[in-house]
Structure formats: C-alpha cells, structure tokens
Amino acid sequence: MTAQATHGEARPGTATDPLVPLMTQICGRDGVVTDPLDLATYECDGLTAHRCSPGLVVLPTTAEQVAAIVTACAQAKIPFVARGSGTGLSGGALPRSDGVLIVTSRMRNIIAIDPESRRAIVEPGVTNLAVSQAAAPFGLFYAPDPSSQVICSVGGNVAENSGGAHCLKHGFTVHHVTGLEIVTPAGELTWLGDGTGAAPGYDLVGAFTGSEGTLGIVTKIVVKLTRIPEAVTTLLAAFSTMGAGGAAVSAIIGSGILPAAIEMMDALAIEAAEAAVACRYPEGAGAVLIVELDGPAADVARETAAVRGICEREGAYEIRAAHDADERAAIWTGRKSAFAAVGRISPAYIVQDGVVPRTALPEVLARIAELSASSGIRVANVFHAGDGNLHPLVLFDDSQPGAEAAAEAVSGEILDLCISHGGSITGEHGVGADKSKFMPKMFGPGDLDTMQLLRCAFDPAGLCNPGKIFPTPRLCGEAPGVRRAPHPLVASGKLEQF
Ligand SMILES: Cc1cc2nc3c(=O)[nH]c(=O)nc-3n(C[C@H](O)[C@H](O)[C@H](O)COP(=O)(O)OP(=O)(O)OC[C@H]3O[C@@H](n4cnc5c(N)ncnc54)[C@H](O)[C@@H]3O)c2cc1C
C-alpha cells in the first residue's frame, strides 16, 4: 500500500496508513505529515545517534485533538510517542516507524498568569523561557531553567523532570508543577493534582513528572511562579586544577550557604568556549567555577563575601564579580554556549549526563581524567557542580572507523564510575532509548518490575512511548508480551496484573 504524502510525494506504506484519513479529520490537512522529506525532520531528538523515521506525524492544536488522536491509536493498537521541541538528549522522543508521533509545538498558549496565587497555566508546547517572560511584568519567573530554555517545551520539561543551572537552590521541574491535564494512553482527558500541590492521595503529578512520556500526554500544566530575587551576584573563580575547584564546591555547600547555582568548567571546555564565543575567562585556568547568589540584598552581600573567602582559601587565583545584567551575561556566555562550543574543537562528541555525590567530585573527576589519558579520548567537563550533576563531553572524530564506539565505551565507563560512587546514570536528561541498557546496573529486577507496575497502571496496552526507559519488556508491557514469572507481589495476590 502507498500513502499519498501531504506535499505530493509518494512514500512506502506503513502500519499507520489506515489512520491518515481520521488524523486529517482531527488535525486538518496541514496538521498531518506523511511526506518522507518532512518526516525526516522528526527522526531524532538532540541525540542524533538514534534515528527512526516516524510512520506518521500529527500536529494537534488542542487537548481535545490530542485525546482524539490517542483514542484512534488505542483503538487501532498503534503505538504513539509525544514530542515537544525535540531537544531531548536521551532519545526519549525517538519515534516508531509503525507509530504516530504527536508533536505539541502548535499548543503554545499561555492560558493564565495569576500573580496572586503565583501560578501559571500553560499548554505543553510553550517554551520554558516564554513562561518567565510572561511572568516578568508581575515580578515573577519560572525557576527551572535548562540551558535549552529558549527552545525546549514545558511539556518536555515535565516529561524529563528537567533541571538547569539554578535548580541547586530552586529545585527541579517536579518542585514547580502542581497540576497536569493529561490524555491517558486510553485517550481519556483528565487532571492530575488540583493546582495547589496539596491534594490528598497519591502524588500522581510527582509520578508523572519525569516519566519520559510513558504514562500519557500532557496537555496543560499548572506551574508555580517564583518572586524575582531582590539581588543577584555572580562570581567567576579561576583555579589551577579541577581538584581545587571541586574542593571549593564542597566547602561552599559545607559552610551552609546555598547558592542559586554552582557551575564548573574544565580547561578543555574553557578552550572550546573561548573558540566559540570569546568569553575571556582568566588565562591558564584548569577549572572555573561560576557561583551565583540570589535573595535579599543583605544576605547576598554577606554570602558573596563568604564565598569569595572560601574560593581564596581553596586556591582561586582570580575572582571576578558581576553586579549587573550585562556583566552577568558576560560570565554566563561561556557556560551557556559550552555544549555547542565543543563543536569548535571536535568533529563529534557525546554529551553524557550522570550524577555523583558532591563530596566524590574530586575523586571522580580525577578518574575521568585517567580514563581520558589511558584511552586517548579527550573529555571536556562542564557541569552543575552544586548538584554533582556531571556532563562529560566525550570527543571523537566520526570520520575515523571505530572512533564512535571507543567514545561510547568511555562514556559508558563514566556512568559505571557514577554508579560505583553512589550516584546515578542520569541527572536531568533522562533514560530514554539511550540508557535503558544501564538501568539493570542501577536497579535490581524487583525495582524494575515495581516501576513497570506503575507504568502498566497507566498504560496496560503498552502503546505509549514503548521501548523507552526499560531494558526488557515485562509484565503488561511492550511486545513481545508478558513476563514469564509473575512479580512476587502479583503472585502473592497483593497486586493485580492488568
Ligand atoms: C543545548 C542543550 C542544553 C540542554 N540543557 C539542559 C539542562 O540544562 N537541563 C536539562 O534538564 N536538560 C537540558 N537539555 C535537554 C532537553 O532540553 C530537556 O530534556 C528538555 O526538557 C526537553 O524538552 P523538549 O520539548 O525538547 O522535549 P522532547 O525532546 O521533544 O521530548 C523529551 C521527552 O518528553 C516527552 N514529551 C514531550 N512532550 C510531552 C508531552 N506533552 N507529554 C508527555 N511527554 C512529552 C517525549 O516523549 C520525550 O520522552 C539540553 C538540551 C540541549 C540540546
């Protein structure tokens, strides 16, 4: 069977072809994409190593349309995947060739900004930064700030429980979401949470946040807004070594001060940033720390002096302070551009995301340096040091046979290091399609089965973003079917398997 493409091109038949007329009825002709060239736009997210052309792409504009799309998929037993802006770095929005990709980029209404209750209600395709921009006239902002905030969607942030530089003090997405309108995997439009964050019963908003699009599709989000702080100071401290910088991070937190952000870059990341945006960080730095303090002016002044003292004691040889927006932007330019900047010093690279306890930073960073030296593969480090959330950038030349596999091996060993130091295989980029193989290194079979039970409670048919997070299909889940032995809780009759 051959489907007629939206823009006139023919494409090979797919399992989703029978849905095209109904999807066109729901979303209109310009809301359905079947042209192979146009479909290529959606074949990967920010992690380009995983690619798959979707069977069909739909671009709904309302929650009701999303519900109708999901209902049609559920009835036809066709898998579906949600996509926001496609900036994810773990292949979470990787589509299925036999499935429908539901893209929320046309759902961009900011429905309400309520300064009195300090809440906003937004549609899922609204960009993260747009929420703060809309709240700014009321002296408020939306605190979670992924570095991709200019483009990433709030729906994607909810699915990934995204963080950002300022989550050290202000918390992750989960701490700022109080209600979600969702379309369940069966196509029902419903609300989780009451918008106050104080509803009794299980915390289903919390369970949904960070579920990587596997429990349903978010169609409206109630978020908390935070008062713009009275004062902000940003410090840039240069150290000769990563070890000294890491020790300063532990000393700052150990002193009882909680900065809004503590970010760290190593010499290679600084070299890349200088090449890309000429950020003019202090010469000869083996590491720089960016420490931002916010709050009441008197507190910020006192804490700034204390942090300066700590950095000096830990060996900082130059400290710069920014007191206004322009000076602050100058300091942040290098950090915010770092991922893309690495393209200036390497043809290709892997962005890794792992977590270690803050106190283990000096040791883990030293081990990463050893790994890099022994493998001959360069690793640039730029990361949320205050959270112990590492982002090693593993550099390779993709024109060289075997180079990518070697870089993948180093990248995997870094995750092993994180696990062996009591950390995690992801801090904020999610598991997605990319890291599911690492889940059994962190969780036992019982843990994974319990997570699957939650997933099955929302999605018994296993059609909602299948193949993500979990290494193997289990229980009610994804093809090829049920787990052989029942989960102990199911066997004992305490839980029902759908
Ligand atoms: C340069 C760069 C910097 C980044 N910096 C950060 C950072 O500092 N902190 C951080 O946490 N992340 C960061 N990221 C990763 C990424 O931006 C975040 O994960 C972001 O939340 C993804 O949003 P998105 O709209 O692009 O989602 P997508 O990539 O489109 O999707 C991500 C996941 O969300 C699901 N999803 C999307 N919309 C919905 C919905 N409406 N309902 C249910 N599920 C949905 C998808 O199925 C997928 O599993 C960065 C990425 C880049 C490229």
Side-chain angles (χ1 to χ4, degrees), residues 364-387:
V364 171
L365 291 169
R367 287 283 300 118
I368 292 175
E370 281 168 27
L371 258 177
S372 170
S374 62
S375 63
I377 292 175
R378 292 184 299 163
V379 180
N381 287 290
V382 44
F383 57 101
H384 309 308
D387 295 310

PDB file of all heavy atoms in Angstrom, residues 364-387:
ATOM      1  N   VAL A 364      36.081  11.506  41.387  1.00  0.00           N
ATOM      2  CA  VAL A 364      35.502  11.064  40.108  1.00  0.00           C
ATOM      3  C   VAL A 364      36.106  11.861  38.951  1.00  0.00           C
ATOM      4  O   VAL A 364      36.413  11.289  37.887  1.00  0.00           O
ATOM      5  CB  VAL A 364      33.958  11.188  40.144  1.00  0.00           C
ATOM      6  CG1 VAL A 364      33.361  10.944  38.768  1.00  0.00           C
ATOM      7  CG2 VAL A 364      33.381  10.198  41.146  1.00  0.00           C
ATOM      8  N   LEU A 365      36.308  13.145  39.147  1.00  0.00           N
ATOM      9  CA  LEU A 365      36.907  13.941  38.068  1.00  0.00           C
ATOM     10  C   LEU A 365      38.330  13.457  37.776  1.00  0.00           C
ATOM     11  O   LEU A 365      38.759  13.403  36.610  1.00  0.00           O
ATOM     12  CB  LEU A 365      36.902  15.433  38.444  1.00  0.00           C
ATOM     13  CG  LEU A 365      35.499  16.063  38.480  1.00  0.00           C
ATOM     14  CD1 LEU A 365      35.539  17.455  39.116  1.00  0.00           C
ATOM     15  CD2 LEU A 365      34.896  16.143  37.080  1.00  0.00           C
ATOM     16  N   ALA A 366      39.045  13.082  38.823  1.00  0.00           N
ATOM     17  CA  ALA A 366      40.411  12.559  38.610  1.00  0.00           C
ATOM     18  C   ALA A 366      40.350  11.243  37.840  1.00  0.00           C
ATOM     19  O   ALA A 366      41.159  10.988  36.935  1.00  0.00           O
ATOM     20  CB  ALA A 366      41.109  12.361  39.959  1.00  0.00           C
ATOM     21  N   ARG A 367      39.371  10.389  38.164  1.00  0.00           N
ATOM     22  CA  ARG A 367      39.228   9.101  37.458  1.00  0.00           C
ATOM     23  C   ARG A 367      38.850   9.321  35.989  1.00  0.00           C
ATOM     24  O   ARG A 367      39.307   8.611  35.102  1.00  0.00           O
ATOM     25  CB  ARG A 367      38.161   8.236  38.154  1.00  0.00           C
ATOM     26  CG  ARG A 367      38.604   7.649  39.483  1.00  0.00           C
ATOM     27  CD  ARG A 367      39.545   6.437  39.319  1.00  0.00           C
ATOM     28  NE  ARG A 367      38.930   5.344  38.577  1.00  0.00           N
ATOM     29  CZ  ARG A 367      39.375   4.878  37.420  1.00  0.00           C
ATOM     30  NH1 ARG A 367      40.443   5.411  36.845  1.00  0.00           N
ATOM     31  NH2 ARG A 367      38.758   3.876  36.831  1.00  0.00           N
ATOM     32  N   ILE A 368      38.012  10.324  35.739  1.00  0.00           N
ATOM     33  CA  ILE A 368      37.646  10.626  34.345  1.00  0.00           C
ATOM     34  C   ILE A 368      38.898  11.076  33.581  1.00  0.00           C
ATOM     35  O   ILE A 368      39.115  10.673  32.430  1.00  0.00           O
ATOM     36  CB  ILE A 368      36.535  11.711  34.277  1.00  0.00           C
ATOM     37  CG1 ILE A 368      35.221  11.146  34.835  1.00  0.00           C
ATOM     38  CG2 ILE A 368      36.330  12.200  32.844  1.00  0.00           C
ATOM     39  CD1 ILE A 368      34.085  12.154  34.943  1.00  0.00           C
ATOM     40  N   ALA A 369      39.731  11.878  34.235  1.00  0.00           N
ATOM     41  CA  ALA A 369      40.976  12.332  33.579  1.00  0.00           C
ATOM     42  C   ALA A 369      41.868  11.131  33.270  1.00  0.00           C
ATOM     43  O   ALA A 369      42.482  11.048  32.188  1.00  0.00           O
ATOM     44  CB  ALA A 369      41.700  13.331  34.477  1.00  0.00           C
ATOM     45  N   GLU A 370      41.936  10.174  34.196  1.00  0.00           N
ATOM     46  CA  GLU A 370      42.745   8.960  33.957  1.00  0.00           C
ATOM     47  C   GLU A 370      42.180   8.160  32.779  1.00  0.00           C
ATOM     48  O   GLU A 370      42.918   7.677  31.931  1.00  0.00           O
ATOM     49  CB  GLU A 370      42.744   8.075  35.207  1.00  0.00           C
ATOM     50  CG  GLU A 370      43.687   8.538  36.310  1.00  0.00           C
ATOM     51  CD  GLU A 370      43.410   7.796  37.624  1.00  0.00           C
ATOM     52  OE1 GLU A 370      42.906   6.649  37.583  1.00  0.00           O
ATOM     53  OE2 GLU A 370      43.693   8.402  38.666  1.00  0.00           O
ATOM     54  N   LEU A 371      40.849   8.017  32.778  1.00  0.00           N
ATOM     55  CA  LEU A 371      40.187   7.291  31.671  1.00  0.00           C
ATOM     56  C   LEU A 371      40.517   7.935  30.336  1.00  0.00           C
ATOM     57  O   LEU A 371      40.808   7.247  29.345  1.00  0.00           O
ATOM     58  CB  LEU A 371      38.666   7.377  31.850  1.00  0.00           C
ATOM     59  CG  LEU A 371      37.902   6.208  32.404  1.00  0.00           C
ATOM     60  CD1 LEU A 371      36.426   6.573  32.541  1.00  0.00           C
ATOM     61  CD2 LEU A 371      38.059   5.005  31.481  1.00  0.00           C
ATOM     62  N   SER A 372      40.464   9.255  30.323  1.00  0.00           N
ATOM     63  CA  SER A 372      40.741  10.004  29.098  1.00  0.00           C
ATOM     64  C   SER A 372      42.184   9.760  28.666  1.00  0.00           C
ATOM     65  O   SER A 372      42.459   9.485  27.489  1.00  0.00           O
ATOM     66  CB  SER A 372      40.477  11.490  29.370  1.00  0.00           C
ATOM     67  OG  SER A 372      40.930  12.257  28.309  1.00  0.00           O
ATOM     68  N   ALA A 373      43.104   9.830  29.634  1.00  0.00           N
ATOM     69  CA  ALA A 373      44.525   9.643  29.302  1.00  0.00           C
ATOM     70  C   ALA A 373      44.785   8.229  28.796  1.00  0.00           C
ATOM     71  O   ALA A 373      45.487   8.024  27.792  1.00  0.00           O
ATOM     72  CB  ALA A 373      45.390   9.950  30.529  1.00  0.00           C
ATOM     73  N   SER A 374      44.202   7.228  29.471  1.00  0.00           N
ATOM     74  CA  SER A 374      44.514   5.852  29.084  1.00  0.00           C
ATOM     75  C   SER A 374      43.862   5.466  27.756  1.00  0.00           C
ATOM     76  O   SER A 374      44.384   4.647  27.012  1.00  0.00           O
ATOM     77  CB  SER A 374      44.104   4.864  30.191  1.00  0.00           C
ATOM     78  OG  SER A 374      42.712   4.940  30.379  1.00  0.00           O
ATOM     79  N   SER A 375      42.729   6.078  27.427  1.00  0.00           N
ATOM     80  CA  SER A 375      42.049   5.734  26.175  1.00  0.00           C
ATOM     81  C   SER A 375      42.485   6.628  25.017  1.00  0.00           C
ATOM     82  O   SER A 375      42.208   6.330  23.856  1.00  0.00           O
ATOM     83  CB  SER A 375      40.536   5.865  26.354  1.00  0.00           C
ATOM     84  OG  SER A 375      40.208   7.216  26.638  1.00  0.00           O
ATOM     85  N   GLY A 376      43.106   7.764  25.359  1.00  0.00           N
ATOM     86  CA  GLY A 376      43.487   8.724  24.318  1.00  0.00           C
ATOM     87  C   GLY A 376      42.280   9.491  23.782  1.00  0.00           C
ATOM     88  O   GLY A 376      42.354  10.146  22.744  1.00  0.00           O
ATOM     89  N   ILE A 377      41.161   9.428  24.496  1.00  0.00           N
ATOM     90  CA  ILE A 377      39.939  10.130  24.056  1.00  0.00           C
ATOM     91  C   ILE A 377      39.736  11.353  24.950  1.00  0.00           C
ATOM     92  O   ILE A 377      39.672  11.239  26.179  1.00  0.00           O
ATOM     93  CB  ILE A 377      38.723   9.177  24.136  1.00  0.00           C
ATOM     94  CG1 ILE A 377      38.898   8.074  23.083  1.00  0.00           C
ATOM     95  CG2 ILE A 377      37.421   9.929  23.942  1.00  0.00           C
ATOM     96  CD1 ILE A 377      37.850   7.003  23.121  1.00  0.00           C
ATOM     97  N   ARG A 378      39.634  12.530  24.308  1.00  0.00           N
ATOM     98  CA  ARG A 378      39.506  13.757  25.096  1.00  0.00           C
ATOM     99  C   ARG A 378      38.109  13.866  25.709  1.00  0.00           C
ATOM    100  O   ARG A 378      37.108  13.539  25.069  1.00  0.00           O
ATOM    101  CB  ARG A 378      39.763  14.977  24.217  1.00  0.00           C
ATOM    102  CG  ARG A 378      41.212  15.082  23.750  1.00  0.00           C
ATOM    103  CD  ARG A 378      41.435  16.347  22.963  1.00  0.00           C
ATOM    104  NE  ARG A 378      40.613  16.399  21.760  1.00  0.00           N
ATOM    105  CZ  ARG A 378      40.371  17.519  21.070  1.00  0.00           C
ATOM    106  NH1 ARG A 378      40.875  18.668  21.480  1.00  0.00           N
ATOM    107  NH2 ARG A 378      39.622  17.494  19.984  1.00  0.00           N
ATOM    108  N   VAL A 379      38.077  14.311  26.964  1.00  0.00           N
ATOM    109  CA  VAL A 379      36.796  14.505  27.657  1.00  0.00           C
ATOM    110  C   VAL A 379      36.783  15.918  28.231  1.00  0.00           C
ATOM    111  O   VAL A 379      37.650  16.284  29.021  1.00  0.00           O
ATOM    112  CB  VAL A 379      36.602  13.486  28.803  1.00  0.00           C
ATOM    113  CG1 VAL A 379      35.263  13.712  29.502  1.00  0.00           C
ATOM    114  CG2 VAL A 379      36.692  12.049  28.287  1.00  0.00           C
ATOM    115  N   ALA A 380      35.797  16.723  27.803  1.00  0.00           N
ATOM    116  CA  ALA A 380      35.626  18.070  28.367  1.00  0.00           C
ATOM    117  C   ALA A 380      34.546  18.005  29.434  1.00  0.00           C
ATOM    118  O   ALA A 380      33.536  17.323  29.250  1.00  0.00           O
ATOM    119  CB  ALA A 380      35.218  19.047  27.269  1.00  0.00           C
ATOM    120  N   ASN A 381      34.765  18.694  30.533  1.00  0.00           N
ATOM    121  CA  ASN A 381      33.782  18.654  31.618  1.00  0.00           C
ATOM    122  C   ASN A 381      33.152  20.026  31.823  1.00  0.00           C
ATOM    123  O   ASN A 381      33.852  21.018  32.029  1.00  0.00           O
ATOM    124  CB  ASN A 381      34.461  18.218  32.930  1.00  0.00           C
ATOM    125  CG  ASN A 381      34.792  16.740  32.922  1.00  0.00           C
ATOM    126  OD1 ASN A 381      33.900  15.900  32.985  1.00  0.00           O
ATOM    127  ND2 ASN A 381      36.073  16.418  32.812  1.00  0.00           N
ATOM    128  N   VAL A 382      31.846  20.054  31.756  1.00  0.00           N
ATOM    129  CA  VAL A 382      31.096  21.284  32.032  1.00  0.00           C
ATOM    130  C   VAL A 382      29.836  20.832  32.737  1.00  0.00           C
ATOM    131  O   VAL A 382      29.097  20.014  32.209  1.00  0.00           O
ATOM    132  CB  VAL A 382      30.825  22.067  30.733  1.00  0.00           C
ATOM    133  CG1 VAL A 382      30.366  21.192  29.597  1.00  0.00           C
ATOM    134  CG2 VAL A 382      29.814  23.171  30.945  1.00  0.00           C
ATOM    135  N   PHE A 383      29.592  21.325  33.951  1.00  0.00           N
ATOM    136  CA  PHE A 383      28.515  20.673  34.704  1.00  0.00           C
ATOM    137  C   PHE A 383      27.979  21.485  35.880  1.00  0.00           C
ATOM    138  O   PHE A 383      28.553  22.486  36.281  1.00  0.00           O
ATOM    139  CB  PHE A 383      28.992  19.298  35.194  1.00  0.00           C
ATOM    140  CG  PHE A 383      30.231  19.330  36.047  1.00  0.00           C
ATOM    141  CD1 PHE A 383      30.132  19.236  37.430  1.00  0.00           C
ATOM    142  CD2 PHE A 383      31.484  19.444  35.482  1.00  0.00           C
ATOM    143  CE1 PHE A 383      31.271  19.253  38.224  1.00  0.00           C
ATOM    144  CE2 PHE A 383      32.634  19.470  36.272  1.00  0.00           C
ATOM    145  CZ  PHE A 383      32.522  19.377  37.638  1.00  0.00           C
ATOM    146  N   HIS A 384      26.813  20.969  36.368  1.00  0.00           N
ATOM    147  CA  HIS A 384      26.148  21.573  37.517  1.00  0.00           C
ATOM    148  C   HIS A 384      26.833  21.024  38.777  1.00  0.00           C
ATOM    149  O   HIS A 384      26.380  20.035  39.376  1.00  0.00           O
ATOM    150  CB  HIS A 384      24.661  21.208  37.521  1.00  0.00           C
ATOM    151  CG  HIS A 384      23.952  21.463  36.214  1.00  0.00           C
ATOM    152  ND1 HIS A 384      24.006  22.681  35.567  1.00  0.00           N
ATOM    153  CD2 HIS A 384      23.163  20.676  35.439  1.00  0.00           C
ATOM    154  CE1 HIS A 384      23.270  22.623  34.452  1.00  0.00           C
ATOM    155  NE2 HIS A 384      22.764  21.411  34.350  1.00  0.00           N
ATOM    156  N   ALA A 385      27.930  21.671  39.184  1.00  0.00           N
ATOM    157  CA  ALA A 385      28.761  21.103  40.248  1.00  0.00           C
ATOM    158  C   ALA A 385      28.033  21.050  41.585  1.00  0.00           C
ATOM    159  O   ALA A 385      28.234  20.131  42.378  1.00  0.00           O
ATOM    160  CB  ALA A 385      30.039  21.929  40.384  1.00  0.00           C
ATOM    161  N   GLY A 386      27.174  22.033  41.834  1.00  0.00           N
ATOM    162  CA  GLY A 386      26.471  22.074  43.120  1.00  0.00           C
ATOM    163  C   GLY A 386      25.589  20.852  43.331  1.00  0.00           C
ATOM    164  O   GLY A 386      25.375  20.413  44.460  1.00  0.00           O
ATOM    165  N   ASP A 387      25.057  20.302  42.250  1.00  0.00           N
ATOM    166  CA  ASP A 387      24.213  19.105  42.341  1.00  0.00           C
ATOM    167  C   ASP A 387      25.013  17.823  42.132  1.00  0.00           C
ATOM    168  O   ASP A 387      24.425  16.736  42.136  1.00  0.00           O
ATOM    169  CB  ASP A 387      23.130  19.125  41.244  1.00  0.00           C
ATOM    170  CG  ASP A 387      22.145  20.261  41.412  1.00  0.00           C
ATOM    171  OD1 ASP A 387      21.624  20.406  42.523  1.00  0.00           O
ATOM    172  OD2 ASP A 387      21.909  21.001  40.440  1.00  0.00           O
TER     173      ASP A 387
END
